[in-house]
């Protein structure tokens, strides 16, 4: 019984995913969300190490994360008001996606802590708003009785992408850290584990550019 329900759910999700990709008005927002979720799951554990390699202190690492959270908290209601007032969910998706892409690009190319702050500020304008904007856009293009299925399908798809990204990330990190020890990220010059690697791990920079 449970297996049959699971298979039915998989088939429904597969049909909805195919529908998202085949409809021109739905394709780009969904693909944007999928890329953001998959990329984010790839780089999430590496982000702090990248901040340290650029020269950020532990306090600055916390400040960078706080910037993203505070800006996201302030902008999400603005996105919601814009969507409700103008029915412009697609415009909201475009704005959130642009902020995510630009913020990730600035952060991945960071040469100093100031760049990290700037990238996080821009990223905050889109990070938390992308998913609700995409869901609003999808809901506006489906029948009322389909909305619950659409929301459930997006939740299933993003969860699956996160799992896939995490599994791939683990394989890449294992290969990377076989050649590059975490001890290179230590900031204490007296520490016996080593010194800071100021060049920045190339893999981490690549993963940071893959998503928010």
């Amino acid at each position: 019984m449970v297996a049959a329900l699971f298979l039915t759910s998989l088939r429904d999700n597969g049909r909805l995913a195919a529908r998202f990709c085949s409809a021109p008005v739905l394709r780009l927002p969904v693909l944007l969300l999928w890329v953001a979720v998959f990329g984010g799951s790839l780089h999430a554990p590496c982000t702090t190490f990248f901040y340290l390699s650029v020269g950020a202190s532990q306090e600055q690492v916390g400040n960078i994360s706080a910037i993203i959270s505070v800006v996201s908290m302030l902008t999400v209601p603005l996105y919601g008001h814009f969507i409700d007032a103008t029915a412009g969910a697609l415009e909201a998706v475009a704005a959130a996606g642009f902020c995510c892409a630009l913020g990730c690009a600035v952060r991945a190319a960071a040469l100093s802590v100031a760049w990290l702050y700037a990238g996080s500020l821009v990223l905050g304008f889109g990070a938390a708003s992308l998913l609700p904007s995409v869901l609003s856009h999808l809901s506006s293009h489906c029948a009322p009785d389909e909305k619950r299925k659409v929301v459930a399908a997006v939740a299933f798809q993003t969860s699956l992408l996160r799992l896939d990204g995490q599994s791939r990330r683990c394989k890449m990190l294992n290969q990377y850290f076989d050649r590059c020890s975490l001890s290179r990220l230590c900031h204490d010059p007296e520490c016996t584990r080593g010194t800071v690697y100021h060049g920045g791990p190339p893999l981490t920079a690549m993963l940071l550019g893959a998503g928010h």
Side-chain angles (χ1 to χ4, degrees):
M1 182 67 177
V2 175
L5 289 174
F6 181 72
L7 291 175
T8 301
S9 177
L10 283 180
R11 285 194 293 268
D12 290 342
N13 277 282
R15 283 194 292 266
L16 283 172
R19 176 183 169 186
F20 293 158
C21 293
S22 62
V25 72
L26 304 178
R27 183 185 304 126
L28 185 58
V30 170
L31 290 178
L32 180 63
L33 178 64
W34 288 350
V35 170
V37 171
F38 182 74
S41 68
L42 280 176
H43 75 67
C46 309
T47 305
T48 299
F49 299 129
F50 178 72
Y51 293 162
L52 295 174
S53 72
V54 173
S57 65
Q58 293 181 359
E59 181 180 357
Q60 288 170 329
V61 170
N63 292 339
I64 291 167
S65 299
I67 289 173
I68 298 176
S69 299
V70 171
V71 175
S72 297
M73 179 182 65
L74 295 175
T75 55
V76 166
L78 297 179
Y79 275 88
H81 176 74
F82 174 79
I83 293 173
D84 291 339
T86 65
L90 186 58
E91 290 81 356
V93 171
F98 175 78
C99 291
C100 288
L102 181 59
C104 286
V106 172
R107 192 170 59 172
L111 301 175
S112 67
V113 177
W115 283 51
L116 295 176
Y117 281 142
S120 298
L121 180 65
V122 176
L123 185 58
F125 281 96
S129 302
L130 182 60
L131 176 58
S133 298
V134 171
L135 285 175
S136 297
H137 178 68
L138 295 178
S139 297
S140 66
H141 288 82
C142 66
D145 59 336
E146 290 184 314
K147 291 184 178 182
R148 287 184 296 178
K149 290 183 179 180
V150 167
V151 172
V154 171
F156 175 82
Q157 293 158 11
T158 53
S159 297
L160 193 63
L161 286 168
R162 286 192 184 95
L163 289 174
D164 186 37
Q166 289 168 1
S167 64
R168 294 175 186 273
R169 175 190 69 208
C170 291
K171 293 178 182 178
M172 287 189 290
L173 288 178
N174 287 336
Q175 295 172 358
Y176 179 67
F177 288 124
D178 282 344
R179 303 188 302 269
C180 175
S181 172
L182 281 173
S183 63
R184 300 166 75 185
L185 298 173
C186 181
H187 272 72
D188 186 355
E190 302 299 326
C191 181
T192 57
R193 290 181 297 169
T195 57
V196 181
Y197 178 54
H198 289 288
L203 174 64
T204 310
M206 178 188 72
L207 293 179
L208 280 169
H212 66 277

